[in-house]
Amino acid sequence: MGKYRNWLGWIVFLLLIYFPIFLHLDTLSLRNWDEARRGVNAFEAAVHGHWIVTYFDGAPDMWGTKPPLLIWLQALFMKMLGYNELAVRLPVALAALATVLLLVWFAEKILYNPLIGFLAGLILVTSDGFIESHGAISGDFDGLLMLWITVYSLAFWRFTQIHQPEERQVWWYTFIAALVLAALTKGVAAFFPLPALLLFTWQQRQFKPLLQSPHTYLGAAIVLVCVAGFYLTREWLNPGFLQAVWGNELGGRYMQPLEGQGQAWYYYIWYLWTQKPFFPWIYLVPVGLIISLWQPGRWRSLGIFLLLEIAVVLAILSFSATKIRWYVLPLFPPFALLAALPLGQAYLWLMQQLRIDRRTWWAQGLLLIWLGLWFILPYRQGVQKVYAFEHHGFLRDEHLYRDFMRRNDQVKHYTIVHPNYSGHVIFYRKVFNQNGYDIRSQPMYAFQTKEKVPFGSHLLHFVSGDTVMVCETAARDSFLHYYPARSIQEWDNCRLLVVE
């Protein structure tokens, strides 16, 4: 009977995890900036074989300078699933699922408390900032980075807790492998938790043995060869790449605010506490931290480790001049473990007070229902978010092109005019052209210089009979100011116009 209950529990848990992460994953069109740009990078890799030097619209991408592990995965999925939204997002969604299952496995096999793992997994998928753009449901770097940082953090903590040489080596090289994968996902951001790991070894009085171990230097050499090998190879194939990395990721991004993302030093603390990306569980994190520090043995050690990791990463991010909200996503798994602890402890306390043992399965079921009540509202909100996906806000119009292009499947030759940079338009232009269309696109403003491209030049010159698609008011008004045209198709804010 116990075996069947375990299977039933796993089925229910996986179904609960499925809906927030995978429901309607491919419904929303690609978001204009990072996600669509990754989609174009992956398209170029899959179609043209640009695997080391990532390309964007036919040229080396010197703005998106992250390593290409995510791009490789997306390109492989494109070869299997086609050039679509699912191929772009599925690698990150699977990484989010792997993160949840890792927390369950870690709690059961290492902490000997599977309930904490299940609670942590549910807490993670019911956090608003997890089911969000740049999170589990978006084809961006951060969800994949979160997985690798979680793997190498937990592997390193486990490495410090055991003494058998063979097992220590397994955990050490698991840490090294995950660190390499994290670095090949998002470059320097992969190394932010490392100072916390070194502080923890010092607190555990293992810093000197770590320095004396030959495996430390072999592991460092593996990381150096793999990571530096990629950067030097790309520089050799694409001169000027390292300078672009410095300007976009290292000195430039850290020392000065880029892309209008300058904030006060306390921005991340304010964001976590007031904007509620980890609501409502953020209020349980301090409680879980206090409980863990009071616990003897491995929970106290893990509490110290997670406290150091959270504090160090927040400090590094806070001292950066460029601050973006999704940079804190790798902290969500540690938050989830800490937030799960008070709920798990409350469950055990009630078991003891009510004198419930494992044979009274119905009483345990009632307590589990009580735990489930905590998740009803956040789970419902998360599922509602993905159930009726649509773009909102002032950027909504720049994401309408895909749907309008699908509605005009009989018209296969036209030019899309859009006001500014649009990775969204470029991705769908390439996908449709791959299927027999002849679509061009042209922004009214140059992406880097912000200079206006005037109508009537060779770039934006149209003659009678040309067909033009516009979905943004600025592009439509400017175009109609210079060219008389009649509308042959309208939908929402989009127009398909024929020049007269």
Side-chain angles (χ1 to χ4, degrees), residues 133-180:
S133 61
H134 290 274
I137 57 174
S138 179
D140 300 310
F141 299 110
D142 306 276
L144 188 60
L145 177 69
M146 175 185 62
L147 170 64
W148 303 133
I149 288 181
T150 305
V151 171
Y152 85 58
S153 297
L154 297 180
F156 188 87
W157 174 81
R158 182 59 176 164
F159 161 78
T160 63
Q161 302 303 299
I162 55 180
H163 304 288
Q164 298 86 348
E166 295 81 5
E167 191 175 355
R168 280 175 64 87
Q169 290 180 28
V170 170
W171 288 106
W172 173 254
Y173 288 107
T174 300
F175 158 70
I176 292 298
L179 179 58
V180 169

Side-chain angles (χ1 to χ4, degrees), residues 59-361:
D61 192 348
M62 302 297 278
W63 183 63
T65 53
K66 302 294 189 295
L69 179 59
L70 175 63
I71 308 304
W72 294 343
L73 295 174
Q74 291 171 326
L76 291 175
F77 275 91
M78 283 183 178
K79 288 184 172 292
M80 293 185 290
L81 304 174
Y83 307 105
N84 51 45
E85 297 83 4
L86 185 61
V88 174
R89 293 178 179 141
L90 191 55
V92 180
L94 291 173
L97 174 63
T99 305
V100 171
L101 296 179
L102 173 63
L103 294 180
V104 176
W105 177 88
F106 179 78
E108 180 177 2
K109 301 297 184 181
I110 307 302
L111 301 177
Y112 305 115
N113 193 334
L115 179 61
I116 294 295
F118 287 113
L119 291 172
L122 288 174
I123 286 171
L124 200 56
V125 299
T126 54
S127 303
D128 188 61
F130 184 77
I131 306 298
E132 186 55 272
S133 61
H134 290 274
I137 57 174
S138 179
D140 300 310
F141 299 110
D142 306 276
L144 188 60
L145 177 69
M146 175 185 62
L147 170 64
W148 303 133
I149 288 181
T150 305
V151 171
Y152 85 58
S153 297
L154 297 180
F156 188 87
W157 174 81
R158 182 59 176 164
F159 161 78
T160 63
Q161 302 303 299
I162 55 180
H163 304 288
Q164 298 86 348
E166 295 81 5
E167 191 175 355
R168 280 175 64 87
Q169 290 180 28
V170 170
W171 288 106
W172 173 254
Y173 288 107
T174 300
F175 158 70
I176 292 298
L179 179 58
V180 169
L181 293 171
L184 292 178
T185 297
K186 206 177 177 184
V188 68
F191 300 97
F192 287 172
L194 292 189
L197 274 55
L198 293 177
L199 286 173
F200 183 72
T201 59
W202 175 79
Q203 190 272 336
Q204 296 284 300
R205 299 180 180 178
Q206 296 190 33
F207 188 70
K208 185 176 180 181
L210 186 68
L211 292 179
Q212 294 173 340
S213 172
H215 294 287
T216 301
Y217 301 98
L218 178 58
I222 292 172
V223 174
L224 181 63
V225 168
C226 293
V227 178
F230 160 73
Y231 280 96
L232 293 176
T233 301
R234 166 111 191 221
E235 173 67 21
W236 176 58
L237 296 172
N238 178 204
F241 173 70
L242 291 180
Q243 183 178 356
V245 171
W246 175 261
N248 191 41
E249 296 185 40
L250 301 172
R253 183 169 293 267
Y254 200 81
M255 301 306 295
Q256 58 184 352
L258 296 185
E259 304 157 14
Q261 300 291 349
Q263 303 286 349
W265 67 268
Y266 54 82
Y267 167 76
Y268 290 108
I269 298 173
W270 169 84
Y271 169 67
L272 288 169
W273 202 255
T274 64
Q275 300 304 297
K276 300 179 172 59
F278 203 69
F279 180 82
W281 315 113
I282 190 66
Y283 303 116
L284 292 179
V285 172
V287 180
L289 182 60
I290 293 171
I291 292 174
S292 68
L293 295 178
W294 279 355
Q295 297 286 321
R298 66 186 64 201
W299 261 113
R300 184 173 187 276
S301 172
L302 182 62
I304 294 172
F305 178 84
L306 296 178
L307 173 61
L308 288 172
E309 183 173 41
I310 292 168
V312 167
V313 171
L314 282 177
I316 292 174
L317 293 175
S318 297
F319 279 106
S320 173
T322 303
K323 297 180 178 66
I324 303 178
R325 56 184 173 81
W326 53 81
Y327 285 0
V328 296
L329 187 66
L331 295 180
F332 279 27
F335 286 163
L337 281 172
L338 291 173
L341 186 56
L343 293 178
Q345 291 292 97
Y347 174 85
L348 293 176
W349 182 81
L350 287 173
M351 288 266 291
Q352 293 172 356
Q353 295 300 311
L354 300 175
R355 294 182 173 85
I356 299 172
D357 58 33
R358 297 185 181 277
R359 292 171 295 180
T360 53
W361 60 268

Side-chain angles (χ1 to χ4, degrees), residues 5-22 96-105 114-126 375 379:
R5 286 203 302 269
N6 289 338
W7 277 106
L8 179 61
W10 266 106
I11 291 171
V12 171
F13 177 74
L14 291 175
L15 283 174
L16 290 173
I17 298 302
Y18 167 82
F19 287 104
I21 297 178
F22 295 100
L97 174 63
T99 305
V100 171
L101 296 179
L102 173 63
L103 294 180
V104 176
W105 177 88
L115 179 61
I116 294 295
F118 287 113
L119 291 172
L122 288 174
I123 286 171
L124 200 56
V125 299
T126 54
F375 293 90
Y379 187 83

